[in-house]
Amino acid sequence: MMETSYWDAIINNDKSFDGVFFYAVKSTGIFCRPSCKSKIPIQKNVHIYKTAVEAERNGFRSCKRCCPTDRSWVDSSEEISNKAIFIIKQNFQDEVQLNQIAAAIAIDPYHLLRTFKKHTGKTPLEYLQEVRLTKAREALLDTNQTITEIALNHGFNSTAYFSTVFKKSTGYSPSKFRKKIFSSVN
């Protein structure tokens, strides 16, 4: 029995599943990417394969419409990571989740997680936290905003959480960090 999410991806031409699986149709002898715009097959005639090679080994030929063996449709890990970084930097004040970033890039969340970590050495959410902390440090130095305002304006849900994360990162509480920097300047 086919997973419901795979069938949904096929009937909705869901690009985020491209590269996650390929589907082959017994009646036509052809295999496609999930985003293929070809006619929706009869479900009982569909076989799921993890790779194009596996589908070919089982006697299916590549679709001429979606060209599943042509890998040019797949973004490189650098492109995927750069797109995710752009989204993170544009939305760091908001509650950002892995699923949202993946949806914006139109790839599977787990593929994003693996690719991003391989390319940057961090998960997207670790990177998000780093961006928030960097921006918060800048705000501590360049503005007169209160610690609470900085915390809430930089994506932290509470001052206590912000203080904990900030201290873990810098070794100082936000208020001590601000005092230390200003006292060393004077």
Side-chain angles (χ1 to χ4, degrees), residues 51-175:
T51 66
V53 172
E54 189 180 353
E56 288 175 324
R57 270 194 224 128
N58 283 288
F60 294 97
R61 70 181 189 281
S62 178
C63 173
K64 291 184 180 176
R65 179 178 292 197
C66 70
C67 303
T69 56
D70 175 6
R71 301 289 294 170
S72 64
W73 54 269
V74 177
D75 285 338
S76 74
S77 64
E78 183 177 5
E79 289 173 301
I80 290 170
S81 297
N82 288 340
K83 288 177 182 179
I85 287 169
F86 178 79
I87 292 165
I88 289 167
K89 286 183 175 180
Q90 294 300 310
N91 300 288
F92 73 92
Q93 301 101 330
D94 303 324
E95 186 177 321
V96 180
Q97 296 179 348
L98 181 66
N99 290 342
Q100 294 167 319
I101 299 168
I105 300 172
I107 64 170
D108 179 69
Y110 300 106
H111 179 61
L112 170 61
L113 182 64
R114 286 187 307 272
T115 303
F116 193 90
K117 186 154 187 165
K118 182 179 178 184
H119 187 257
T120 67
K122 301 175 179 90
T123 68
L125 298 180
E126 289 168 343
Y127 189 86
L128 171 62
Q129 190 84 295
E130 194 174 277
V131 169
R132 286 177 173 164
L133 286 168
T134 299
K135 298 287 187 181
R137 272 194 296 277
E138 291 169 5
L140 283 166
L141 300 175
D142 300 336
T143 71
N144 291 326
Q145 291 179 329
T146 66
I147 304 297
T148 301
E149 289 172 327
I150 291 171
L152 298 177
N153 291 338
H154 290 83
F156 296 94
N157 292 333
S158 73
T159 305
Y161 178 65
F162 169 61
S163 294
T164 301
V165 172
F166 192 89
K167 187 170 185 174
K168 185 177 180 184
S169 170
T170 64
Y172 298 98
S173 68
S175 57

